[in-house]
Amino acid sequence: MKLAMIGFGQAGGKILDRFLEYDSTRGTGIVGHAVAVNSAKADLMGLDYVPNENRVLIGQSVVKGHGAGTEPELGERCAKEDMEEIQSAIDRMVSSEIDAFLVMAGLGGGTGSGGAPVLAEHLQRLYVEPVYGLGILPARDEGGIYNRNAARSFQRFAEAVDNLLTFDNDAFKTGGESLGEGYAEINAEIITRFGALFSAGEVEALGDNVAESVVDASEIINTLGEHGISSVGYASEPVQTKQQSSGLLDRLRGGNDKNGFSSGGDATNRITSLVRKATLGKLTLQCEVDSTERVLLLVSGPPEALNRKGIDKARKWLESQTDCMEVRAGDYPLPNEDKVAAIVVLSGVTDVPRVKEMQRMAVEAEEKVEEIRSQSKDDLDDLIEYGDDETQ
Ligand code: GDP
């Protein structure tokens, strides 16, 4: 599937950069066009892969290149003021090659939080292609303001896009390391999941290795639908490639028995077990699986490790778990790949405790801001008022 990707704000830009890196190292072609938008000049300059002419600095008259901090209202203003600049960069795409748009942003900050929904609304008005969002939720310990920003942005973004693919930083947080290292690891997790999902639709990349049941761009588009939130599950298991297993050392060790796909039964069991792990393990957005409207299952790996029976069994299991009839499934053979991976897209999920919690944190944060504001006003009044004291 070929996407016109727009990374909004710092997180959005960095994730876009990683998608471009994924394409260049794997030879996939999922990024049909890449545009990074930011109100902070330094963040735009720090990108490695986004072409210079497609890095758009917005809101110079408002924030002078210094970013929008944690104020989505500023991000929104910058986006509205410079929508023409953003549009010019998007116009450079070859539109006949694009299947859909993907607007990416961290929802807890300022530029992406405020700007990404405005851009999505703009794209919806202008193009017939679907417009998807990749919304990054802040970790809980980032605090009230970030969660408040995210709760507001999440609502507007979800209403503006055909589907909001959601990724919760909190669920993938790793302890100890610096913020930068932590984000690098989290961004790698994002690309593993969404890179694999979108490359599935790039059928041309398969060459002679035609999948038994192909998932193409239209299957992904049908699964994502025209309104809703999605969560993605992923699990993988290493296997030896055919090349590795036919090596001399391996033959001396006794050949094929140890190569990881010695029988069809093994392959079937591996697939069903990976699909269970992907669905019941850590999702990009933790949710009740049976509140899903549509499901897409994708199994990738070396052709020898994929089989129809495994995918059929896994699809039936998914139907019963999610209680939904619309389950699409397919495989994606990758010769020389050293792992089998299952990707499960749960589209149209509605029972999501994390979102409810974020909304509660947002209300608390708003009350606290209001309380502090009125307390400060009272304190200031007390400080500057002198008339009454004088008469005493
Ligand atoms: P903006 O530049 O004003 O849009 O704000 P940022 O993108 O810097 O930050 C918004 C939120 O995105 C933060 O609160 C974090 O939760 C998240 N974030 C920032 N950088 C990254 C990143 O590299 N990866 C991920 N996954 N999240 C990030």
Side-chain angles (χ1 to χ4, degrees), residues 8-12 14-15 38 43 68-69 106-113 136-139 142 146 167 169 183 186-187 190:
F8 221 114
Q10 183 181 206
K14 282 198 286 181
I15 295 165
N38 210 320
D43 290 345
L107 305 189
T111 306
S113 176
I136 313 294
L137 304 186
E142 285 187 61
Y146 288 86
F167 184 95
N169 274 349
Y183 281 144
I186 294 178
N187 293 350
I190 294 175

Side-chain angles (χ1 to χ4, degrees), residues 107-358:
L107 305 189
T111 306
S113 176
V118 176
L119 175 62
E121 286 162 10
H122 170 86
L123 294 173
Q124 290 282 29
R125 279 194 296 273
L126 238 64
Y127 295 93
V128 290
E129 285 84 6
V131 177
Y132 302 124
L134 175 54
I136 313 294
L137 304 186
R140 286 178 177 86
D141 59 13
E142 285 187 61
I145 296 299
Y146 288 86
N147 277 276
R148 182 205 61 181
N149 291 349
R152 286 183 185 165
S153 179
F154 183 80
Q155 182 182 1
R156 185 157 176 200
F157 208 7
E159 278 164 7
V161 293
D162 289 291
N163 197 300
L164 182 57
L165 301 151
T166 309
F167 184 95
D168 184 7
N169 274 349
D170 200 78
F172 288 83
K173 215 170 45 172
T174 46
E177 73 288 271
S178 74
L179 205 62
E181 279 173 37
Y183 281 144
E185 283 177 32
I186 294 178
N187 293 350
E189 300 275 9
I190 294 175
I191 300 304
T192 300
R193 285 155 180 78
F194 293 102
L197 167 65
F198 295 129
S199 44
E202 275 300 280
V203 193
E204 300 91 67
L206 293 176
D208 292 338
N209 293 283
V210 178
E212 279 196 50
S213 78
V214 184
V215 170
D216 59 16
S218 68
E219 302 259 29
I220 300 175
I221 290 171
N222 287 336
T223 303
L224 294 178
E226 291 176 3
H227 193 57
I229 311 296
S230 287
S231 176
V232 175
Y234 176 87
S236 69
E237 191 184 302
V239 288
Q240 280 186 321
T241 64
K242 216 174 183 180
Q243 253 172 354
Q244 285 167 335
S245 66
S246 60
L248 178 64
L249 198 65
D250 217 74
R251 267 180 273 144
L252 289 173
R253 281 193 189 128
N256 247 1
D257 287 351
K258 288 186 182 173
N259 73 358
F261 21 79
S262 48
S263 76
D266 284 357
T268 306
N269 290 339
R270 184 188 295 112
I271 290 169
T272 51
S273 129
L274 280 173
V275 172
R276 271 196 206 100
K277 271 193 215 159
T279 314
L280 304 176
K282 188 154 66 176
L283 300 169
T284 60
L285 178 67
Q286 217 48 50
C287 61
E288 296 303 329
V289 169
D290 59 5
S291 73
T292 306
E293 206 180 329
R294 293 172 299 274
V295 183
L296 176 71
L297 163 66
L298 195 77
V299 183
S300 69
E304 302 87 344
L306 303 177
N307 82 21
R308 189 60 195 246
K309 199 169 157 207
I311 292 173
D312 280 347
K313 269 180 92 170
R315 188 166 49 77
K316 289 204 182 82
W317 179 83
L318 271 169
E319 273 175 13
S320 70
Q321 281 293 308
T322 57
D323 210 11
C324 99
M325 299 307 294
E326 227 180 304
V327 180
R328 296 175 174 82
D331 57 2
Y332 185 58
L334 294 166
N336 302 326
E337 179 76 352
D338 57 4
K339 63 177 188 283
V340 180
I343 298 148
V344 177
V345 181
L346 304 170
S347 172
V349 292
T350 48
D351 192 348
V352 189
R354 172 75 177 104
V355 169
K356 290 284 157 218
E357 184 202 3
M358 188 173 71

Side-chain angles (χ1 to χ4, degrees), residues 75-120:
E76 179 175 347
R77 235 179 94 194
C78 295
K80 282 183 173 159
E81 283 197 6
D82 285 326
M83 193 53 83
E84 271 183 39
E85 304 278 325
I86 304 174
Q87 185 58 51
S88 305
I90 293 173
D91 275 343
R92 283 194 273 273
M93 72 182 182
V94 185
S95 54
S96 59
E97 287 183 0
I98 300 297
D99 297 306
F101 290 90
L102 183 68
V103 181
M104 304 177 280
L107 305 189
T111 306
S113 176
V118 176
L119 175 62

